[in-house]
Amino acid sequence: MPTLFRFLFFCAVVAGMIYGTMVALVTFVEPVERDVTVRIPSERVNKPQ
């Protein structure tokens, strides 16, 4: 039984670290906005009849 508690404690610590990393990313990282241009070939827009 102590091994199970140790395993669950380890899982909780890892989950807490992941959660903390996610909170830090949301708090400190600002996304950069930029324009996106996607070129579509004319064959896909004007299909031959």
Side-chain angles (χ1 to χ4, degrees):
M1 205 59 149
T3 325
L4 176 63
F5 289 132
R6 204 176 316 157
F7 174 71
L8 291 176
F9 179 74
F10 176 75
C11 289
V13 168
V14 170
M17 289 172 52
I18 292 172
Y19 184 77
T21 303
M22 289 171 39
V23 169
L25 283 173
V26 167
T27 305
F28 297 119
V29 176
E30 280 292 326
V32 178
E33 292 185 13
R34 58 185 179 148
D35 293 334
V36 176
T37 304
V38 178
R39 296 184 185 269
I40 302 174
S42 62
E43 293 84 25
R44 290 184 62 190
V45 178
N46 302 324
K47 294 186 179 183
Q49 296 177 357

